[in-house]
Amino acid sequence: KLGYPVSSADVTALHALALCQETACNTPPETMETIFQTTLNNNLLRGPNSWANIYTSYGQYQINVKQHYNAGVHYFTKAVEANPREAQYWINLIKLLIEVQAYEAAEDWLERFQEANTHGGTERDFTTMRRAIDEARSSRAQTAITSTNNTSK
C-alpha cells in the first residue's frame, strides 16, 4: 500500500507503462497487476480525473494486453462513473460496447450520455455514436445472413 498521494505524474507514468506492455515492454503480468491494484486501492488518489484516468488505463491494459474485454467494459464504466462530466470517457465506453457487440448496452449508455451534462459532448458525438451502433449491428446481421447462405448450399 502506498503511503503517499498518487500524483497526476504517477497516473501518467502508469498509463505509459501500460501502453508500453502492448509493444515493447515485458513487465511481468504479476508486477503490472500489483502496480494497478496498489494504485486502485490508494485512498489518497485525488480528483475525479485521476480516478477516471486510472480506470481507463487499467481497462485499456485489460483489453489490449490481457484480452479481457469484460474487465475492460467494467473499468471503462467505472471511468464514466468517476467523472461523468467528461465526454471522452463516455465515448470510450460506447465504442468498446460496440466492439464487443453489446449494442443494446451501447444504446443505453448513448442515451445516458445525451442526457448528461458533459464537457465536450456534442450533437456530432451523439450522431457518430448512433451511426457506429447502427452500422455495426447491420454489418453483423449481414455477416450472419451470408454465413447462413453459405452453410445451406
Side-chain angles (χ1 to χ4, degrees), residues 85-106:
R85 305 248 318 132
E86 284 297 326
Q88 191 60 54
Y89 301 120
W90 293 87
I91 293 167
N92 292 345
L93 174 59
I94 294 165
K95 284 182 175 181
L96 177 57
L97 291 167
I98 294 167
E99 184 67 27
V100 300
Q101 301 177 352
Y103 306 123
E104 287 182 25

Side-chain angles (χ1 to χ4, degrees), residues 87 90-91 94 109-116 118 121 125-126:
W90 293 87
I91 293 167
I94 294 165
W109 280 100
L110 176 58
E111 188 175 311
R112 290 186 207 178
F113 179 30
Q114 289 175 292
E115 293 169 359
T118 63
D125 293 325
F126 307 142

